[in-house]
Every structure is written in structure tokens, then in C-alpha cells.
Amino acid sequence: MTALPTGTTTGTTTGDTDQRLLRVAVPNKGSLSESATEMLRESGYRQRSDSKQLTLVDAENGVEFFYLRPRDIALYVGEGTLDVGVTGRDLLADSGAKAEEALQLGFGRSRFHFAGPAGRFSDVADLAGMRIATSYVGVVRAFLEERGIEATVVRLDGAVETSIQLGVADAIADVVETGSTLRRAGLEVFGEVILESEAVLITRSGEAPAGLEVFRRRLEGVLVARSYVMMDYDIPTEQVEAAVELTPGIESPTVAPLHKEGWSAVRAMVPRDGAQRLMDELYGLGARGILLTDIHACRL
């Protein structure tokens, strides 16, 4: 079983009870670390203030956090050393660990593509018999095997763009954002997307540790709060039905009569994207006093 870094412990219990804390792995550095920490704080959990801190106990919320290399998190969770973790779908797939996605977290999105010298490749089938350099050997091998393509996959940590120029590989497989780095190296993307990745909450396959549902519900509340805003407006009562069609809310909007005769107040959660356009449409129906308010947390 994979050992935790020196100085960390497992199986911690709260001081007042024998209830075991949920053990959560969090990226200690890299592109996922800051966003994961921010999301956990928004979910009401304590987070470390010192980047050198390896663990943090939040006994009040029944959780103990372990700050680990992102690439190792799926292994710790898959082996049951830790209960759940935040990592990338790409790292989970590459690890081969016995862990599975429990929730998509909406940040750290990326796409993996093949790339090669401009004009040399047009389809993934052209990779047969070639050498492919990548930091994600497991992902690339699985992709090629599914398509019956035999090629040599070369593991390289870090930047792989120079591997072709140095004669180590014929093509590469890597994260592609704007493609500017590839173009500077004389490379171009070809073929279908290998994998679309984002940050995910993972747990051991087939197991739901105690405390997971509360933890996941808090994260889901943050995701909803980031995606929706609260909209309040006043509108002539005769236009309420038309307005409610525009703002149906999550369950149903709140509608209450105003002191001003013939007017009603409406409150509903609406998607953040398009909220300004929605305000324009409501104004056109006769709504006034239209307000948007950020949602910091929720439970649905």
C-alpha cells in the first residue's frame, strides 16, 4: 500500500467522540491546488495557511485534509489509504487506480491531443509504428489500444514539445490550450481529442465512506452557488404568469402580493449566464426594481 509522506497520520478521531474523520486528499501544488482550496473554503472547511503544512484537521466539520502531489492522489484513494480526493480526470485515468469519479468540480478543464510536425500526420491511424512522447502514458496507451494502433509510448515528465526535435519521438500527446506553444515548436494538432479533463472528486471504487454524502453535498452547493444568482423583482400581477415562465426557479419561484395594489413581488434562482438578458426581458414585461444577488452557499 502507498505510504503517506512522513509526518502524516490516518484514522484520526475527534476529541469528544470516537467518530472517525473523513480523510480527504487535496493537491498540494500545481494548477488544481489553488482552485481546490478555494472551493473547500467556500464549502465551509478550514484550509491551511502555510504551503508547507502536510495535514490539517477540521474536527468541527468531521474532516482531515492531506496535501499531496496531484499525481499521487488517485493511488492513495484507490488503495483505501485515504477516503476521497480532489484530482484531475486525466491523472485518475493515467494512474490505473481503483478509484472512480464522485463529482465533477467545474475547474481545471483541459483537452489532450496528439501533435506532430506540421503536415506529417492527419489521423491517429498514422501513428502506427511511431514513437509518441507524453507525460500520460496510461491514458495514451489505453486510447491507442482501443483503436488497435500499435505504437511505442515514451514517458517524459514536463514539457514534451522538444522531444521530436531531439529525436526522442515522432509525435507527442499533451494538454493543448491555445496551441501557441505547439506552433512555436513547429507542431500542429491532429486527430480526435484523446481526453477531456477537469477537476473531479474521487472515491474508492465500490465504496462510499462515512461522511462522503455531506462532503459532496457541500461541494455541490458551491457549484450551484457559482452557477446561479438570486433574482428579485416587482411586476404587475397580471404579468406574473408570463414572468414566471422566464424565471421558473429551481423548484418554483416565490410570489407574494405587494402593498401596492395590483403588484406582486417575485423571487427566483436563475442561471448566472444570461441573467442580464433576462433582466431586459422582464423589464419589457413591466417588471421594476429588478435585483440580482450572489448566492454564497445553498442546499438543494
Side-chain angles (χ1 to χ4, degrees), residues 251-268:
E251 300 291 343
S252 178
T254 299
V255 181
L258 289 176
H259 181 69
K260 182 179 180 180
E261 187 176 352
W263 282 73
S264 296
V266 180
R267 162 170 277 202

Side-chain angles (χ1 to χ4, degrees), residues 29 53 88 94 167 182 272 286:
K29 59 182 179 179
Q53 191 173 352
D94 198 57
L182 294 177
R272 183 180 296 273

Side-chain angles (χ1 to χ4, degrees), residues 184-200:
R184 285 195 296 268
L187 307 178
E188 66 178 5
V189 169
F190 65 91
E192 59 193 286
V193 176
I194 303 171
L195 175 69
E196 294 196 13
S197 183
E198 70 174 290
V200 292

Side-chain angles (χ1 to χ4, degrees), residues 31-79:
S31 59
L32 298 180
S33 178
E34 183 176 345
S35 295
T37 297
E38 180 182 358
M39 187 172 208
L40 290 167
R41 282 202 179 100
E42 289 182 36
S43 300
Y45 295 106
R46 292 176 54 211
Q47 288 297 289
R48 64 180 183 173
S49 56
D50 183 352
S51 60
K52 296 181 180 179
Q53 191 173 352
L54 299 178
T55 66
L56 184 145
V57 175
D58 185 354
E60 183 178 352
N61 290 298
V63 175
E64 182 173 15
F65 295 103
F66 295 80
Y67 300 92
L68 305 169
R69 290 179 58 217
R71 188 171 281 277
D72 295 337
I73 287 176
L75 297 175
Y76 285 119
V77 173
E79 292 181 353

